[in-house]
Each structure stands twice: as C-alpha cells, then as structure tokens.
Amino acid sequence: MADVIAPIAATIKSILSKVGDGVEENTVVMLTEAMKVEYPVFAECQGTVSEIKVKVGDEVAVDQVLIIVE
C-alpha cells in the first residue's frame, strides 16, 4: 500500500483516476493548481486505487494524503 501525497499546497483541479483503476508508477492521477499554474500529481508505485480522500475544489496542504494505492 502506498499513499499519493500533495507535493505542494494547492487546489484540486481534476481527478483522473477512480477507485478500482489500476495505475503504474509515474501515472498522473490528478491535477492541482497553485498560483494559476497546473501541477500534475503522480502515483509513486504500481497498484490499484483503493480510496480517494479529496474532491475537486478541495484545498490541500503539503504532504496531505490524496489517494491510497494498494
């Protein structure tokens, strides 16, 4: 199991994966926005998305858990 965490403080712009999706290492799983710039968030391991802990529009802090991959 691995957590996908927020690399920066930002707003969730879009979620590209859903629960049950398989992801590979370095797959873009969501986009965030900070200071009008979009930043991709990557899965750090291969697995299946088991939980998404945020929704579009949420503001997140650095190192906040966004997605759990098993």
Side-chain angles (χ1 to χ4, degrees):
M1 177 173 18
D3 296 336
V4 176
I5 60 170
I8 61 172
T11 302
I12 303 300
K13 183 85 170 168
S14 64
I15 300 172
L16 306 174
S17 296
K18 61 184 184 303
V19 172
D21 282 356
V23 294
E24 299 291 325
E25 186 175 354
N26 295 322
T27 299
V28 177
V29 292
M30 67 178 52
L31 296 173
T32 60
E33 182 180 283
M35 299 179 65
K36 304 212 185 257
V37 177
E38 284 188 0
Y39 296 92
V41 177
F42 300 95
E44 295 181 10
C45 67
Q46 179 180 347
T48 302
V49 175
S50 63
E51 185 177 355
I52 299 174
K53 300 180 106 12
V54 295
K55 62 185 182 314
V56 173
D58 285 355
E59 292 186 16
V60 297
V62 174
D63 294 335
Q64 180 175 336
V65 175
L66 306 175
I67 293 178
I68 297 175
V69 176
E70 292 186 359

